[in-house]
mmCIF file of all heavy atoms in Angstrom:
data_model
loop_
_atom_site.group_PDB
_atom_site.id
_atom_site.type_symbol
_atom_site.label_atom_id
_atom_site.label_comp_id
_atom_site.label_asym_id
_atom_site.label_seq_id
_atom_site.Cartn_x
_atom_site.Cartn_y
_atom_site.Cartn_z
ATOM 1 N N ASN A 1013 12.635 5.878 -8.212
ATOM 2 C CA ASN A 1013 11.351 6.531 -7.991
ATOM 3 C C ASN A 1013 11.049 6.593 -6.491
ATOM 4 O O ASN A 1013 11.176 5.597 -5.782
ATOM 5 C CB ASN A 1013 10.244 5.771 -8.711
ATOM 6 C CG ASN A 1013 10.466 5.735 -10.212
ATOM 7 O OD1 ASN A 1013 10.867 6.727 -10.807
ATOM 8 N ND2 ASN A 1013 10.241 4.587 -10.831
ATOM 9 N N VAL A 1014 10.635 7.772 -6.047
ATOM 10 C CA VAL A 1014 10.535 7.948 -4.604
ATOM 11 C C VAL A 1014 9.244 8.594 -4.132
ATOM 12 O O VAL A 1014 8.805 8.358 -3.008
ATOM 13 C CB VAL A 1014 11.749 8.770 -4.091
ATOM 14 C CG1 VAL A 1014 11.672 10.208 -4.567
ATOM 15 C CG2 VAL A 1014 11.856 8.729 -2.592
ATOM 16 N N ALA A 1015 8.614 9.433 -4.934
ATOM 17 C CA ALA A 1015 7.469 10.175 -4.402
ATOM 18 C C ALA A 1015 6.531 10.608 -5.514
ATOM 19 O O ALA A 1015 6.926 10.773 -6.668
ATOM 20 C CB ALA A 1015 7.951 11.415 -3.635
ATOM 21 N N VAL A 1016 5.276 10.798 -5.127
ATOM 22 C CA VAL A 1016 4.271 11.384 -6.012
ATOM 23 C C VAL A 1016 3.682 12.588 -5.304
ATOM 24 O O VAL A 1016 3.733 12.699 -4.076
ATOM 25 C CB VAL A 1016 3.149 10.378 -6.366
ATOM 26 C CG1 VAL A 1016 3.685 9.240 -7.185
ATOM 27 C CG2 VAL A 1016 2.467 9.858 -5.102
ATOM 28 N N ARG A 1017 3.147 13.492 -6.063
ATOM 29 C CA ARG A 1017 2.496 14.668 -5.509
ATOM 30 C C ARG A 1017 1.021 14.343 -5.368
ATOM 31 O O ARG A 1017 0.310 14.141 -6.344
ATOM 32 C CB ARG A 1017 2.682 15.870 -6.435
ATOM 33 C CG ARG A 1017 2.213 17.182 -5.852
ATOM 34 C CD ARG A 1017 3.153 17.666 -4.769
ATOM 35 N NE ARG A 1017 2.734 18.942 -4.224
ATOM 36 C CZ ARG A 1017 3.397 19.582 -3.277
ATOM 37 N NH1 ARG A 1017 4.491 19.041 -2.770
ATOM 38 N NH2 ARG A 1017 2.977 20.741 -2.813
ATOM 39 N N VAL A 1018 0.549 14.256 -4.123
ATOM 40 C CA VAL A 1018 -0.828 13.863 -3.866
ATOM 41 C C VAL A 1018 -1.782 14.855 -4.527
ATOM 42 O O VAL A 1018 -1.646 16.068 -4.375
ATOM 43 C CB VAL A 1018 -1.100 13.801 -2.342
ATOM 44 C CG1 VAL A 1018 -2.559 13.466 -2.086
ATOM 45 C CG2 VAL A 1018 -0.182 12.783 -1.690
ATOM 46 N N GLY A 1019 -2.742 14.311 -5.283
ATOM 47 C CA GLY A 1019 -3.737 15.147 -5.927
ATOM 48 C C GLY A 1019 -3.319 15.674 -7.286
ATOM 49 O O GLY A 1019 -4.139 16.243 -8.005
ATOM 50 N N ALA A 1020 -2.056 15.493 -7.647
ATOM 51 C CA ALA A 1020 -1.575 15.988 -8.939
ATOM 52 C C ALA A 1020 -1.532 14.853 -9.950
ATOM 53 O O ALA A 1020 -1.441 13.682 -9.595
ATOM 54 C CB ALA A 1020 -0.201 16.624 -8.788
ATOM 55 N N GLN A 1021 -1.583 15.191 -11.208
ATOM 56 C CA GLN A 1021 -1.477 14.210 -12.277
ATOM 57 C C GLN A 1021 -0.231 14.499 -13.108
ATOM 58 O O GLN A 1021 0.059 15.640 -13.426
ATOM 59 C CB GLN A 1021 -2.724 14.256 -13.166
ATOM 60 C CG GLN A 1021 -4.001 13.842 -12.444
ATOM 61 C CD GLN A 1021 -5.202 13.819 -13.382
ATOM 62 O OE1 GLN A 1021 -5.065 14.083 -14.573
ATOM 63 N NE2 GLN A 1021 -6.355 13.494 -12.836
ATOM 64 N N GLY A 1022 0.495 13.429 -13.440
ATOM 65 C CA GLY A 1022 1.675 13.597 -14.279
ATOM 66 C C GLY A 1022 2.841 14.248 -13.575
ATOM 67 O O GLY A 1022 3.692 14.848 -14.236
ATOM 68 N N ILE A 1023 2.877 14.131 -12.243
ATOM 69 C CA ILE A 1023 4.005 14.679 -11.495
ATOM 70 C C ILE A 1023 4.549 13.611 -10.560
ATOM 71 O O ILE A 1023 3.899 13.248 -9.571
ATOM 72 C CB ILE A 1023 3.619 15.941 -10.684
ATOM 73 C CG1 ILE A 1023 3.105 17.036 -11.620
ATOM 74 C CG2 ILE A 1023 4.816 16.453 -9.888
ATOM 75 C CD1 ILE A 1023 2.699 18.311 -10.898
ATOM 76 N N GLY A 1024 5.710 13.078 -10.885
ATOM 77 C CA GLY A 1024 6.380 12.104 -10.039
ATOM 78 C C GLY A 1024 7.827 12.512 -9.864
ATOM 79 O O GLY A 1024 8.346 13.367 -10.601
ATOM 80 N N PHE A 1025 8.500 11.892 -8.896
ATOM 81 C CA PHE A 1025 9.864 12.301 -8.583
ATOM 82 C C PHE A 1025 10.756 11.081 -8.377
ATOM 83 O O PHE A 1025 10.303 10.021 -7.940
ATOM 84 C CB PHE A 1025 9.890 13.181 -7.332
ATOM 85 C CG PHE A 1025 9.082 14.441 -7.462
ATOM 86 C CD1 PHE A 1025 7.769 14.491 -7.017
ATOM 87 C CD2 PHE A 1025 9.628 15.570 -8.056
ATOM 88 C CE1 PHE A 1025 7.011 15.644 -7.148
ATOM 89 C CE2 PHE A 1025 8.884 16.733 -8.190
ATOM 90 C CZ PHE A 1025 7.570 16.774 -7.732
ATOM 91 N N ALA A 1026 12.040 11.269 -8.673
ATOM 92 C CA ALA A 1026 13.017 10.193 -8.528
ATOM 93 C C ALA A 1026 14.331 10.757 -8.006
ATOM 94 O O ALA A 1026 14.706 11.892 -8.325
ATOM 95 C CB ALA A 1026 13.243 9.489 -9.869
ATOM 96 N N ILE A 1027 15.027 9.953 -7.191
ATOM 97 C CA ILE A 1027 16.358 10.315 -6.718
ATOM 98 C C ILE A 1027 17.347 10.068 -7.847
ATOM 99 O O ILE A 1027 17.363 8.979 -8.432
ATOM 100 C CB ILE A 1027 16.747 9.457 -5.498
ATOM 101 C CG1 ILE A 1027 15.750 9.672 -4.349
ATOM 102 C CG2 ILE A 1027 18.157 9.766 -5.038
ATOM 103 C CD1 ILE A 1027 15.939 8.701 -3.195
ATOM 104 N N PRO A 1028 18.179 11.049 -8.203
ATOM 105 C CA PRO A 1028 19.163 10.837 -9.280
ATOM 106 C C PRO A 1028 20.049 9.632 -8.982
ATOM 107 O O PRO A 1028 20.467 9.416 -7.848
ATOM 108 C CB PRO A 1028 19.968 12.137 -9.275
ATOM 109 C CG PRO A 1028 19.055 13.156 -8.679
ATOM 110 C CD PRO A 1028 18.245 12.414 -7.657
ATOM 111 N N VAL A 1029 20.343 8.838 -9.995
ATOM 112 C CA VAL A 1029 21.059 7.577 -9.781
ATOM 113 C C VAL A 1029 22.475 7.792 -9.260
ATOM 114 O O VAL A 1029 22.978 6.979 -8.479
ATOM 115 C CB VAL A 1029 21.075 6.736 -11.079
ATOM 116 C CG1 VAL A 1029 22.045 7.305 -12.104
ATOM 117 C CG2 VAL A 1029 21.404 5.283 -10.772
ATOM 118 N N ASP A 1030 23.138 8.878 -9.653
ATOM 119 C CA ASP A 1030 24.495 9.112 -9.150
ATOM 120 C C ASP A 1030 24.485 9.270 -7.634
ATOM 121 O O ASP A 1030 25.355 8.737 -6.931
ATOM 122 C CB ASP A 1030 25.108 10.346 -9.808
ATOM 123 C CG ASP A 1030 25.409 10.133 -11.282
ATOM 124 O OD1 ASP A 1030 25.479 8.956 -11.705
ATOM 125 O OD2 ASP A 1030 25.560 11.125 -12.015
ATOM 126 N N LYS A 1031 23.500 9.983 -7.116
ATOM 127 C CA LYS A 1031 23.378 10.151 -5.665
ATOM 128 C C LYS A 1031 22.975 8.835 -5.024
ATOM 129 O O LYS A 1031 23.498 8.446 -3.969
ATOM 130 C CB LYS A 1031 22.346 11.232 -5.348
ATOM 131 C CG LYS A 1031 22.155 11.487 -3.861
ATOM 132 C CD LYS A 1031 21.168 12.615 -3.626
ATOM 133 C CE LYS A 1031 21.010 12.906 -2.131
ATOM 134 N NZ LYS A 1031 20.066 14.040 -1.894
ATOM 135 N N ALA A 1032 22.035 8.120 -5.644
ATOM 136 C CA ALA A 1032 21.564 6.845 -5.086
ATOM 137 C C ALA A 1032 22.695 5.828 -5.002
ATOM 138 O O ALA A 1032 22.819 5.095 -4.015
ATOM 139 C CB ALA A 1032 20.417 6.297 -5.929
ATOM 140 N N MET A 1033 23.552 5.774 -6.022
ATOM 141 C CA MET A 1033 24.653 4.812 -6.007
ATOM 142 C C MET A 1033 25.732 5.205 -5.003
ATOM 143 O O MET A 1033 26.402 4.351 -4.431
ATOM 144 C CB MET A 1033 25.256 4.673 -7.405
ATOM 145 C CG MET A 1033 24.326 3.995 -8.410
ATOM 146 S SD MET A 1033 23.790 2.329 -7.898
ATOM 147 C CE MET A 1033 22.112 2.676 -7.309
ATOM 148 N N GLN A 1034 25.895 6.496 -4.780
ATOM 149 C CA GLN A 1034 26.828 6.951 -3.745
ATOM 150 C C GLN A 1034 26.355 6.489 -2.372
ATOM 151 O O GLN A 1034 27.141 5.988 -1.559
ATOM 152 C CB GLN A 1034 26.941 8.475 -3.784
ATOM 153 C CG GLN A 1034 27.854 9.050 -2.705
ATOM 154 C CD GLN A 1034 27.849 10.568 -2.702
ATOM 155 O OE1 GLN A 1034 27.273 11.209 -3.564
ATOM 156 N NE2 GLN A 1034 28.488 11.136 -1.704
ATOM 157 N N ILE A 1035 25.056 6.631 -2.119
ATOM 158 C CA ILE A 1035 24.492 6.178 -0.841
ATOM 159 C C ILE A 1035 24.548 4.650 -0.753
ATOM 160 O O ILE A 1035 24.892 4.089 0.288
ATOM 161 C CB ILE A 1035 23.045 6.669 -0.690
ATOM 162 C CG1 ILE A 1035 22.997 8.202 -0.689
ATOM 163 C CG2 ILE A 1035 22.417 6.118 0.584
ATOM 164 C CD1 ILE A 1035 23.784 8.853 0.422
ATOM 165 N N ALA A 1036 24.230 3.960 -1.861
ATOM 166 C CA ALA A 1036 24.274 2.495 -1.868
ATOM 167 C C ALA A 1036 25.676 1.994 -1.560
ATOM 168 O O ALA A 1036 25.853 0.991 -0.859
ATOM 169 C CB ALA A 1036 23.800 1.960 -3.219
ATOM 170 N N CYS A 1037 26.691 2.694 -2.075
ATOM 171 C CA CYS A 1037 28.079 2.330 -1.806
ATOM 172 C C CYS A 1037 28.360 2.375 -0.310
ATOM 173 O O CYS A 1037 29.016 1.487 0.246
ATOM 174 C CB CYS A 1037 29.009 3.276 -2.562
ATOM 175 S SG CYS A 1037 30.761 2.958 -2.311
ATOM 176 N N GLU A 1038 27.856 3.405 0.360
ATOM 177 C CA GLU A 1038 28.048 3.521 1.803
ATOM 178 C C GLU A 1038 27.264 2.449 2.550
ATOM 179 O O GLU A 1038 27.736 1.896 3.553
ATOM 180 C CB GLU A 1038 27.622 4.914 2.268
ATOM 181 C CG GLU A 1038 28.454 6.047 1.673
ATOM 182 C CD GLU A 1038 27.879 7.415 1.977
ATOM 183 O OE1 GLU A 1038 26.880 7.478 2.724
ATOM 184 O OE2 GLU A 1038 28.424 8.417 1.486
ATOM 185 N N LEU A 1039 26.056 2.137 2.062
ATOM 186 C CA LEU A 1039 25.196 1.186 2.759
ATOM 187 C C LEU A 1039 25.717 -0.247 2.705
ATOM 188 O O LEU A 1039 25.427 -1.048 3.597
ATOM 189 C CB LEU A 1039 23.778 1.246 2.182
ATOM 190 C CG LEU A 1039 22.998 2.543 2.427
ATOM 191 C CD1 LEU A 1039 21.620 2.472 1.787
ATOM 192 C CD2 LEU A 1039 22.871 2.847 3.917
ATOM 193 N N ILE A 1040 26.466 -0.598 1.650
ATOM 194 C CA ILE A 1040 26.993 -1.968 1.553
ATOM 195 C C ILE A 1040 28.498 -2.012 1.815
ATOM 196 O O ILE A 1040 29.138 -3.042 1.573
ATOM 197 C CB ILE A 1040 26.698 -2.593 0.173
ATOM 198 C CG1 ILE A 1040 27.435 -1.844 -0.932
ATOM 199 C CG2 ILE A 1040 25.195 -2.657 -0.087
ATOM 200 C CD1 ILE A 1040 27.385 -2.562 -2.286
ATOM 201 N N SER A 1041 29.051 -0.912 2.304
ATOM 202 C CA SER A 1041 30.500 -0.846 2.480
ATOM 203 C C SER A 1041 30.990 -1.867 3.503
ATOM 204 O O SER A 1041 30.286 -2.224 4.454
ATOM 205 C CB SER A 1041 30.923 0.558 2.916
ATOM 206 O OG SER A 1041 30.443 0.843 4.212
ATOM 207 N N ALA A 1042 32.219 -2.324 3.289
ATOM 208 C CA ALA A 1042 32.842 -3.252 4.234
ATOM 209 C C ALA A 1042 32.961 -2.618 5.614
ATOM 210 O O ALA A 1042 32.847 -3.289 6.641
ATOM 211 C CB ALA A 1042 34.229 -3.654 3.711
ATOM 212 N N LYS A 1043 33.172 -1.330 5.631
ATOM 213 C CA LYS A 1043 33.268 -0.586 6.892
ATOM 214 C C LYS A 1043 31.971 -0.670 7.671
ATOM 215 O O LYS A 1043 31.966 -0.874 8.886
ATOM 216 C CB LYS A 1043 33.611 0.873 6.577
ATOM 217 C CG LYS A 1043 33.659 1.805 7.763
ATOM 218 C CD LYS A 1043 34.017 3.218 7.291
ATOM 219 C CE LYS A 1043 33.985 4.220 8.428
ATOM 220 N NZ LYS A 1043 34.332 5.584 7.966
ATOM 221 N N ARG A 1044 30.844 -0.558 6.968
ATOM 222 C CA ARG A 1044 29.543 -0.540 7.636
ATOM 223 C C ARG A 1044 29.044 -1.936 7.978
ATOM 224 O O ARG A 1044 28.528 -2.175 9.070
ATOM 225 C CB ARG A 1044 28.529 0.179 6.748
ATOM 226 C CG ARG A 1044 27.158 0.368 7.402
ATOM 227 C CD ARG A 1044 26.211 1.077 6.460
ATOM 228 N NE ARG A 1044 24.941 1.382 7.102
ATOM 229 C CZ ARG A 1044 24.471 2.598 7.295
ATOM 230 N NH1 ARG A 1044 25.180 3.651 6.936
ATOM 231 N NH2 ARG A 1044 23.298 2.792 7.869
ATOM 232 N N LEU A 1045 29.179 -2.868 7.053
ATOM 233 C CA LEU A 1045 28.571 -4.186 7.245
ATOM 234 C C LEU A 1045 29.478 -5.178 7.964
ATOM 235 O O LEU A 1045 28.991 -6.033 8.706
ATOM 236 C CB LEU A 1045 28.153 -4.773 5.888
ATOM 237 C CG LEU A 1045 27.092 -4.003 5.111
ATOM 238 C CD1 LEU A 1045 26.657 -4.797 3.887
ATOM 239 C CD2 LEU A 1045 25.875 -3.679 5.985
ATOM 240 N N GLN A 1046 30.794 -5.109 7.708
ATOM 241 C CA GLN A 1046 31.687 -6.095 8.304
ATOM 242 C C GLN A 1046 32.694 -5.494 9.287
ATOM 243 O O GLN A 1046 33.512 -6.215 9.852
ATOM 244 C CB GLN A 1046 32.474 -6.834 7.217
ATOM 245 C CG GLN A 1046 31.610 -7.736 6.339
ATOM 246 C CD GLN A 1046 31.420 -7.175 4.938
ATOM 247 O OE1 GLN A 1046 30.314 -6.860 4.532
ATOM 248 N NE2 GLN A 1046 32.495 -7.023 4.189
#
């Protein structure tokens, strides 16, 4: 879950998990952290 539409009701947004896990893989990668 990432965002809401200000002033709107029943409208919320989320980053798809496949994309989120791809980014998470890069963020914890051995290349990046170690």
Side-chain angles (χ1 to χ4, degrees):
N1013 299 319
V1014 69
V1016 294
R1017 188 73 179 181
V1018 177
Q1021 295 183 2
I1023 300 180
F1025 300 94
I1027 300 171
V1029 74
D1030 291 341
K1031 180 177 182 179
M1033 291 302 102
Q1034 178 185 353
I1035 298 300
C1037 179
E1038 297 171 5
L1039 293 179
I1040 65 170
S1041 67
K1043 176 180 176 180
R1044 185 180 185 118
L1045 297 187
Q1046 292 108 243

